[in-house]
Structures are given as structure tokens and as C-alpha cells.
Amino acid sequence: MSLEREINKRSGGNCELCSSTESLQVYAITPQKLGDINDNIHACSTCVTQIEDSTITEANHWRCLNDSMWSEVSAVKIIVWRMLSRLRKEGWPQDLLDMMYLEEEELNWAQATGEGQDPEDRVIHRDSNGVIINAGDSVVLIKDLPVKGSSMVAKRGTAVRRVSLDHENAEFIEGKVNGIQIVIITKYVKKI
């Protein structure tokens, strides 16, 4: 069964956030953890647009989270937590966050993008051109880099997919090069 059919069956043909039945799509939660249906939700175009662009978030649209926060699907709970955290200054989202329960692993996944932190406290990773790098993005090396602790040299032009971020240092990201997990300095990469 295809991913889209499985998610449609799970969601009953509705947006798993606001219950809309219009303009539905499979939306992948970043960074992906499991590599299967559980990393994705069924979401309408209105929800997806507002998730991806915080400048157009309409607080009243997200009152639907009062219901979807009780979903048993981890990916749905992750997005609910992120949106409530983004909107918490409205008042009512903080009340819902106080009632919401996430397992420790789910909370770590929800916090992986930095949502919920005050903008002053967020560590922002930027590539050599100043473009923001998010968890799950792909980058390409712009310089040959010797890998400490091995004889390997990561060659310029090597693509590193699905990077993870060091949440305490904006200069470091992690990714796999030739099957080896390495730490990479952000000034030597360009986001693809």
C-alpha cells in the first residue's frame, strides 16, 4: 500500500490537524526519525502553509489543536506542540501546552527545530552564504575536509543529506559522509 493511501486511511480522509477535507497532502515532519508513515501527517494546504511560514500564522485557525492534541499519532502531536509553542503568547495555546503530554523522545523530536524557544535563545545555523540550515536539510561541502580521528578526507562537492544540528553551537552540524557520521563546520558547507 502506498504511503499516501496508508495516511489517508489513518486520517479518514481529513487533515489530522484541523479536520478539513480540502487540498490534503502528505506532510513530512522534520527531522524525520523513523523513515516511514509515522514521520508524516495528512494536512490541508492552509495548515502546511502556516506551518512553513510563521509570518502568516493565523492564531484562530489553530484553535482546532484543542482536539488534535489528543491524537495517538506521534507526528501529529509533534506538529501540535510546535504550533502551540509558536502561538503561546496568545494565552490559550499555553493552557493547551500545559495539558499536553509527550513522551521524552517525542518532546526531543518536537524541540529539534528550535520551535518553542525564544528567538533570542535560539541557536541559528547558517551556511557559508548566510542561508539558515534546519535539521533534515541537505548541504554540499565547499572545501576538502580532513576528518579528525581517521585518514578519511571528505571531498569538496560531497552532498550530506538529512543533517542534524548541534543545539548549543551554531558552527557545528552533523551528517554522514561515506557512511561515517561526522561533525562539520557550517562555514564549509552550502545548503542545497
Side-chain angles (χ1 to χ4, degrees):
M1 187 180 286
S2 77
L3 177 67
E4 191 166 350
R5 268 191 270 161
E6 285 184 62
I7 289 180
N8 190 47
K9 182 178 176 185
R10 179 183 78 194
S11 71
N14 295 318
C15 173
E16 292 182 279
L17 300 171
C18 72
S19 299
S20 173
T21 57
E22 313 239 339
S23 303
L24 297 176
Q25 64 190 66
V26 173
Y27 182 74
I29 309 305
T30 56
Q32 294 194 334
K33 291 283 186 191
L34 308 168
D36 61 13
I37 185 175
N38 297 310
D39 284 342
N40 300 276
I41 64 170
H42 217 196
C44 68
S45 59
T46 303
C47 287
V48 169
T49 303
Q50 292 187 39
I51 290 168
E52 293 181 343
D53 187 354
S54 62
T55 62
I56 60 169
T57 304
E58 298 172 23
N60 283 333
H61 173 77
W62 295 102
R63 290 195 179 266
C64 59
L65 299 180
N66 188 40
D67 295 325
S68 53
M69 69 185 272
W70 304 111
S71 173
E72 293 182 13
V73 178
S74 290
V76 174
K77 292 193 290 187
I78 300 312
I79 290 296
V80 169
W81 186 92
R82 289 177 183 173
M83 293 309 298
L84 289 173
S85 295
R86 182 184 298 174
L87 296 166
R88 73 178 177 274
K89 291 186 174 143
E90 297 284 324
W92 61 266
Q94 185 61 53
D95 294 338
L96 295 180
L97 275 171
D98 292 343
M99 288 189 289
M100 192 171 183
Y101 176 77
L102 295 177
E103 296 288 341
E104 183 177 346
E105 185 177 303
E106 292 172 328
L107 184 59
N108 290 337
W109 185 12
Q111 293 173 334
T113 60
E115 196 75 59
Q117 295 178 345
D118 289 328
E120 311 80 60
D121 298 338
R122 284 176 91 177
V123 175
I124 298 175
H125 296 76
R126 296 184 184 272
D127 72 1
S128 59
N129 296 324
V131 177
I132 294 175
I133 301 171
N134 296 306
D137 285 347
S138 296
V139 297
V140 65
L141 301 179
I142 61 169
K143 178 181 176 182
D144 287 353
L145 300 173
V147 178
K148 288 186 179 179
S150 78
S151 60
M152 184 178 102
V153 174
K155 297 290 186 184
R156 184 178 81 188
T158 301
V160 182
R161 310 231 182 268
R162 294 176 35 182
V163 299
S164 56
L165 309 176
D166 181 333
H167 292 290
E168 295 178 11
N169 191 331
E171 292 185 15
F172 298 128
I173 58 173
E174 291 185 31
K176 285 192 177 184
V177 174
N178 298 332
I180 299 172
Q181 186 79 10
I182 64 170
V183 174
I184 306 166
I185 299 172
T186 55
K187 67 181 178 182
Y188 299 126
V189 299
K190 183 173 80 171
K191 185 175 172 179
I192 332 181

